[in-house]
Coordinates of all heavy atoms in Angstrom, one line a residue:
P24 N -50.3 56.4 63.3 CA -49.0 55.8 63.6 C -47.8 56.4 62.8 O -46.6 56.3 63.3 CB -49.2 54.3 63.3 CG -50.3 54.3 62.4 CD -51.2 55.4 62.8
T48 N -47.5 54.6 43.4 CA -48.9 54.6 43.8 C -49.1 53.9 45.1 O -49.7 54.4 46.0 CB -49.8 54.0 42.7 OG1 -49.5 54.6 41.5 CG2 -51.2 54.2 43.1
A50 N -46.8 53.3 47.5 CA -46.1 54.0 48.5 C -46.9 55.2 49.0 O -47.0 55.4 50.2 CB -44.7 54.4 48.1
A99 N -21.9 46.0 48.9 CA -22.0 47.5 48.7 C -22.8 48.2 49.8 O -22.5 49.3 50.1 CB -22.6 47.8 47.3
F133 N -35.4 45.4 59.1 CA -35.0 45.2 57.8 C -35.8 44.1 57.1 O -35.4 42.9 57.2 CB -33.5 44.9 57.7 CG -32.9 45.2 56.3 CD1 -32.5 46.4 55.9 CD2 -32.8 44.1 55.4 CE1 -31.9 46.6 54.6 CE2 -32.3 44.3 54.1 CZ -31.9 45.6 53.7
A142 N -37.1 31.9 41.8 CA -38.4 31.2 41.6 C -39.2 32.0 40.6 O -40.0 31.4 39.8 CB -39.2 31.1 43.0
G167 N -30.5 39.7 30.4 CA -30.6 40.1 31.7 C -29.4 40.7 32.4 O -28.3 40.7 31.8
E173 N -27.5 39.5 43.8 CA -28.8 38.7 44.0 C -29.8 39.1 42.9 O -30.7 38.3 42.5 CB -29.3 38.8 45.4 CG -28.5 38.1 46.4 CD -29.2 38.1 47.8 OE1 -30.2 37.4 47.9 OE2 -28.8 38.8 48.7
S177 N -33.0 36.4 39.0 CA -34.2 36.3 38.2 C -33.9 35.6 36.8 O -34.5 34.7 36.4 CB -34.8 37.7 37.9 OG -35.4 38.2 39.1
N202 N -30.1 49.2 30.6 CA -30.7 49.0 31.8 C -31.5 50.3 32.2 O -32.6 50.2 32.8 CB -29.7 48.6 32.9 CG -30.3 48.2 34.2 OD1 -31.5 47.7 34.3 ND2 -29.6 48.4 35.3
Y215 N -29.9 40.9 16.7 CA -29.6 39.5 17.2 C -30.7 38.5 16.7 O -30.3 37.4 16.2 CB -29.7 39.5 18.8 CG -29.5 38.2 19.4 CD1 -28.2 37.8 19.8 CD2 -30.5 37.2 19.5 CE1 -27.9 36.5 20.3 CE2 -30.3 36.0 20.0 CZ -29.0 35.6 20.5 OH -28.7 34.4 21.0
K242 N -39.4 44.9 14.2 CA -38.3 45.4 13.4 C -37.5 44.3 12.8 O -36.8 44.5 11.7 CB -37.3 46.3 14.3 CG -37.9 47.7 14.6 CD -36.9 48.5 15.4 CE -37.5 49.9 15.7 NZ -37.9 50.7 14.6
Y295 N -44.0 50.8 66.5 CA -44.4 49.7 67.3 C -43.3 48.7 67.5 O -43.5 47.6 68.1 CB -45.6 49.0 66.7 CG -46.8 49.9 66.4 CD1 -47.4 49.9 65.2 CD2 -47.2 50.7 67.4 CE1 -48.5 50.7 65.0 CE2 -48.3 51.6 67.2 CZ -48.9 51.6 66.0 OH -50.0 52.4 65.7
G305 N -44.3 37.7 44.2 CA -44.3 37.1 42.9 C -45.6 36.2 42.8 O -45.5 35.0 43.0

Side-chain angles (χ1 to χ4, degrees):
T48 305
F133 196 87
E173 287 189 72
S177 287
N202 189 25
Y215 181 95
K242 288 184 179 298
Y295 305 131

